[in-house]
């Protein structure tokens, strides 16, 4: 194991930013081979409630057993506060929450620009690989609702070519496009710099995610949107409340709600600008204040 191979000891720190049950088991196993007090400190961050084990009963039993043997120099944390509370209640063990790491855009850096004008069209970004849990199937009905509104909107949609073909997530979206609602496909894998450019080109980010999943785990798109000073329109019950509570976001339930939220942003494009600044500052402060090991 790396802890032994590198000769690490109590003065060292091992961080596992995306931990699973296997990582938890490895720490317990490593501790068994060390003298008392000789194992290094370990910080583990969990990103979702599944921990790479799909079977809930097996997952819970394994975690409970491992936690009983976890060395005291180990600290457990989660990306979101919601997931930390869920784990703490479920396993009766302390998990810290709100342990964020910057993604494509760092809120501590400068260089965030305002979107360019596009003939009066308000641009909304739908980013990431299309997946059902990310609400990709809801994009078409949301666009359909927008097409009935008196508004000029451009929807930037990321996906592969097959996602826009028959049977794909966005196969029907084009039929609701008109002179006032435009669809701009963004095809293929996007390099970090190209993603940054695309994100900075939009006026708002749309996240109609399934909260049965994202009510606990977080999304890097929220972090990037906050760092980029972009408003977020998201499903009600979304996690990461810490980043979405500053007047920088609008929550929605139905497809009509999502359309109404977008329309409200088009009517006053600067309505959430102060909230976006507050959210970015809160994100920056969280990154500047380590929360592990009580520091």
């Amino acid at each position: 194991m790396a802890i032994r191979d590198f000769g690490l000891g109590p003065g060292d720190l091992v961080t596992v930013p995306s931990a699973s049950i296997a990582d938890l088991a490895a720490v317990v196993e490593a501790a068994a081979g060390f003298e008392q007090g000789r194992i290094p400190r370990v910080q583990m961050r969990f990103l979702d409630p599944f921990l790479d084990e799909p079977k809930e009963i097996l997952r819970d039993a394994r975690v409970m057993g491992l936690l009983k043997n976890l060395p005291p120099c180990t600290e457990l944390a989660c990306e979101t506060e919601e997931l930390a509370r869920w784990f703490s209640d479920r396993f009766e063990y302390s998990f810290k929450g709100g342990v964020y790491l910057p993604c494509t855009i760092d809120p501590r850096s400068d260089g965030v620009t305002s979107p360019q004008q596009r003939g009066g069209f308000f641009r909304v970004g739908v980013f990431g690989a299309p997946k059902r849990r990310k609400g990709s199937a809801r994009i078409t009905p949301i666009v359909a609702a927008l097409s009935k509104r008196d508004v000029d909107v451009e929807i930037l949609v990321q996906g592969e070519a097959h996602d826009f073909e028959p049977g794909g997530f966005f196969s029907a979206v084009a039929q609701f496009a008109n002179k006032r609602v435009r669809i701009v496909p963004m095809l293929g894998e996007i390099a970090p710099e190209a993603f940054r450019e695309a994100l900075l080109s939009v006026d708002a980010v749309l996240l109609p995610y399934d909260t049965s999943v994202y009510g606990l785990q977080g999304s890097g798109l929220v972090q990037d949107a906050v760092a980029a000073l972009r408003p977020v329109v998201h499903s009600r019950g979304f996690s990461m409340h810490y980043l979405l509570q500053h007047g920088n976001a609008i929550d929605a339930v139905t497809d009509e709600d999502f359309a109404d939220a977008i329309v409200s942003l088009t009517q006053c494009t600067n309505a959430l600008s102060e909230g976006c600044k507050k959210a970015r500052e809160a994100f920056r402060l969280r990154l500047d204040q380590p929360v592990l090991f009580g520091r």
Side-chain angles (χ1 to χ4, degrees):
M1 186 177 180
I3 290 178
R4 298 194 189 97
D5 293 343
F6 286 101
L8 302 180
D12 298 303
L13 171 65
V14 177
T15 299
V16 186
S18 181
S20 66
I21 286 183
D23 299 308
L24 199 61
V27 171
V28 173
E29 179 184 352
F34 277 75
E35 295 180 9
Q36 185 70 23
R38 297 303 301 170
I39 189 171
R41 296 185 303 159
V42 178
Q43 300 174 337
M44 309 186 77
R45 185 181 75 142
F46 301 97
L47 302 182
D48 62 61
F50 307 107
L51 306 178
D52 288 344
E53 174 50 70
K55 297 181 179 179
E56 182 179 351
I57 295 177
L58 179 59
R59 178 173 64 241
D60 286 359
R62 286 194 65 195
V63 171
M64 292 293 288
L66 290 168
L67 291 179
K68 292 178 181 178
N69 297 293
L70 200 64
C73 57
T74 306
E75 187 151 29
L76 306 183
C78 300
E79 181 180 37
T80 71
E81 291 86 349
E82 292 86 354
L83 183 58
R85 286 193 296 269
W86 190 81
F87 273 142
S88 297
D89 292 341
R90 194 174 188 87
F91 300 121
E92 298 182 353
Y93 196 97
S94 179
F95 288 74
K96 291 190 175 181
V99 183
Y100 298 106
L101 296 175
C103 295
T104 304
I105 300 180
D106 193 327
R108 298 166 296 191
S109 63
D110 297 324
V112 173
T113 59
S114 299
Q116 297 179 351
Q117 296 297 315
R118 289 168 301 281
F121 277 75
F122 185 90
R123 175 178 272 198
V124 177
V126 178
F127 296 107
K131 295 179 180 178
R132 194 161 299 280
R133 68 175 183 268
K134 294 186 176 182
S136 299
R138 300 191 65 180
I139 300 304
T140 294
I142 291 172
V143 171
L146 279 170
S147 68
K148 302 173 185 176
R149 307 298 204 273
D150 186 24
V151 63
D152 294 323
V153 178
E154 184 173 272
I155 313 291
L156 181 66
V157 184
Q158 183 179 351
E160 300 292 341
H162 62 80
D163 294 313
F164 295 87
E165 296 171 353
F169 277 111
F170 310 127
S171 59
V173 72
Q175 75 182 70
F176 297 104
N178 54 45
K179 292 182 179 179
R180 305 199 67 179
V181 177
R182 304 193 300 206
I183 306 300
V184 180
M186 186 168 55
L187 302 179
E189 189 172 335
I190 302 174
E193 191 54 41
F195 170 78
R196 176 189 174 90
E197 183 178 342
L199 178 60
L200 294 178
S201 77
V202 305
D203 298 282
V205 174
L206 177 62
L207 299 175
Y209 284 18
D210 181 353
T211 54
S212 68
V213 176
Y214 287 93
L216 292 175
Q217 70 186 57
S219 167
L221 280 172
V222 171
Q223 295 182 204
D224 277 334
V226 169
L229 296 171
R230 290 330 189 239
V232 178
V233 180
H234 63 86
S235 300
R236 184 171 299 166
F238 203 104
S239 66
M240 304 182 88
H241 182 252
Y242 174 77
L243 295 178
L244 297 171
Q245 65 175 342
H246 305 279
N248 61 310
I250 302 175
D251 64 2
V253 177
T254 68
D255 299 326
E256 295 290 334
D257 291 340
F258 277 101
D260 289 341
I262 293 170
V263 170
S264 70
L265 290 175
T266 69
Q267 294 171 340
C268 184
T269 56
N270 294 322
L272 304 188
S273 59
E274 285 303 313
C276 288
K277 292 176 183 177
K278 292 177 181 178
R280 188 174 193 263
E281 179 64 10
F283 189 13
R284 185 191 68 77
L285 289 174
R286 178 56 61 87
L287 293 178
D288 289 341
Q289 296 173 355
V291 298
L292 297 180
F293 285 104
R295 294 183 297 166

